Amino acid sequence: MANQKHTRPATKILVDGGNPEDTKEIRKLLGYVDGQTTNPSLIAKNPNVARLVKSGQKLTQSQEADEYRKIVETISPLVGDAGVSIEVFADLNTTADEMFRQGREMNSWIPNAYIKYPCTTEGLKAAHYSVSEGIRVNITLCFSQSQAAAVYAATKGATTPVYVSPFIGRLDDIGQNGMDLIRNIKRMYAAGDGHVLVLAASIRNLGHLLCSFHYGAELATVPATVLKEWVGQGMPLPGPTFSYKPVGSEIKYENLNLNQPWDTFDIQHDLTTKGIQKFVADYKSTIR
Ligand code: G3P
């Protein structure tokens, strides 16, 4: 395989996308792909889904689910042990029971599924039910250290891996240094039992990727365009003198006690709400 001479980063590499052709291409370029993450916006951009919508053939909910299933079934055997994250459909009123119902169904699609729930009270309840049944979860749209603390506490005792996905680029977008959130969560989790792994998400450039390696994120989900750029530069890793130019203002570390009950943490974040609204809009744009 290509590029075997390069040192593989300790951080697992996931493709952030909804097109299996990208996964295949990256696998060829890197020689491996550890995993994949998908979400409703990425599925709406899948060439087949986009073609149907463009030709005026919007999908029924059940056709959309079939398309989503076909996409993850194609990607599933292409990736390693970091699995394929599949996101439930949730708007701001979706209950935990409904998310969990979808999560169970999606979990049956492929053997290496991780079910994505939003970092909200209902999403964390659904995650709590899921891990108690041995379903692997990925908590998405995480924008604060206290949300990450709630993820830890809500999934305590999990016997299957739990991912939390802090969104770097979207914090940069509002003038906060998104990389600080990765640093802060890693520092906070160092006092924990290691059952939650940090999956750096909303990576927009090589700086985000290299800094995620530098802070020791266990996983990073990366658009194919950024991975191609990384390969083009010889797959560099951050050296001892690595420095990252902060974007926006610093996000300060908070002293939080991971042993508190999960629902005592501040779970609300405006970007989580906006993120859910965007996923809903993109999903609905494909539906009749
Ligand atoms: O990994 C999450 C990602 O798909 C969102 O990225 O660039 O829309 O913030 P972005």
Side-chain angles (χ1 to χ4, degrees):
M1 293 268 204
N3 289 308
Q4 286 296 345
K5 63 183 190 302
H6 294 282
T7 309
R8 194 162 162 166
T11 300
K12 290 189 175 168
I13 302 289
L14 289 76
V15 175
D16 193 17
N19 181 358
E21 293 309 312
D22 286 342
T23 316
K24 288 179 194 162
E25 191 184 353
I26 296 300
R27 190 165 181 252
K28 246 190 220 150
L29 282 172
L30 293 187
Y32 69 94
V33 167
D34 290 306
Q36 174 103 14
T37 58
T38 64
N39 65 40
S41 306
L42 296 169
I43 295 302
K45 283 192 208 143
N46 168 276
N48 200 35
V49 173
R51 185 182 48 77
L52 287 169
V53 172
K54 212 173 161 202
S55 67
Q57 303 173 60
K58 283 197 174 182
L59 311 169
T60 62
Q61 287 192 5
S62 122
Q63 283 170 330
E64 209 269 355
D66 287 346
E67 289 300 323
Y68 200 170
R69 181 179 181 145
K70 278 190 250 163
I71 293 166
V72 297
E73 279 175 348
T74 311
I75 294 170
S76 167
L78 300 174
V79 304
D81 63 1
V84 182
S85 291
I86 313 172
E87 186 155 345
V88 299
F89 170 77
D91 64 20
L92 296 172
N93 300 315
T94 307
T95 62
D97 285 348
E98 168 53 20
M99 288 189 217
F100 182 42
R101 186 197 63 72
Q102 292 181 45
R104 265 182 166 160
E105 162 66 20
M106 290 166 154
N107 191 55
S108 73
W109 289 354
I110 50 172
N112 51 352
Y114 278 72
I115 302 304
K116 274 174 109 172
Y117 295 114
C119 196
T120 59
T121 300
E122 293 303 301
L124 289 185
K125 274 189 210 162
H128 179 79
Y129 304 152
S130 299
V131 297
S132 68
E133 275 195 9
I135 294 175
R136 295 170 288 233
V137 298
N138 174 356
I139 309 306
T140 188
L141 294 168
C142 172
F143 294 98
S144 74
Q145 199 191 317
S146 57
Q147 285 180 317
V151 171
Y152 178 97
T155 56
K156 221 165 172 202
T159 52
T160 47
V162 172
Y163 298 162
V164 65
S165 295
F167 273 38
I168 300 164
R170 292 193 194 179
L171 283 165
D172 288 2
D173 289 344
I174 60 161
Q176 298 182 17
N177 184 26
M179 284 314 315
D180 289 340
L181 181 59
I182 304 289
R183 179 199 62 193
N184 294 347
I185 297 172
K186 282 292 297 175
R187 179 174 163 193
M188 172 174 71
Y189 282 178
D193 60 16
H195 81 277
V196 186
L197 307 179
V198 175
L199 197 178
S202 183
I203 287 182
R204 308 264 179 80
N205 53 52
L206 272 189
H208 285 157
L209 181 62
L210 297 185
C211 195
S212 298
F213 295 163
H214 176 68
Y215 285 143
E218 283 85 3
L219 313 107
T221 188
V222 194
T225 46
V226 177
L227 285 172
K228 283 184 208 164
E229 198 187 334
W230 183 53
V231 172
Q233 296 203 7
M235 297 158 86
L237 299 180
T241 57
F242 175 81
S243 74
Y244 176 78
K245 192 167 173 284
V247 175
S249 56
E250 186 184 357
I251 303 173
K252 296 255 189 279
Y253 183 77
E254 297 169 72
N255 280 312
L256 299 174
N257 176 2
L258 290 172
N259 295 317
Q260 264 174 235
W262 69 270
D263 50 2
T264 60
F265 291 105
D266 182 8
I267 299 170
Q268 203 282 332
H269 197 288
D270 285 351
L271 289 182
T272 306
T273 306
K274 282 193 185 136
I276 290 172
Q277 288 166 334
K278 169 90 171 84
F279 285 154
V280 170
D282 288 342
Y283 172 81
K284 288 201 168 151
S285 72
T286 69
I287 298 292
R288 262 181 220 161

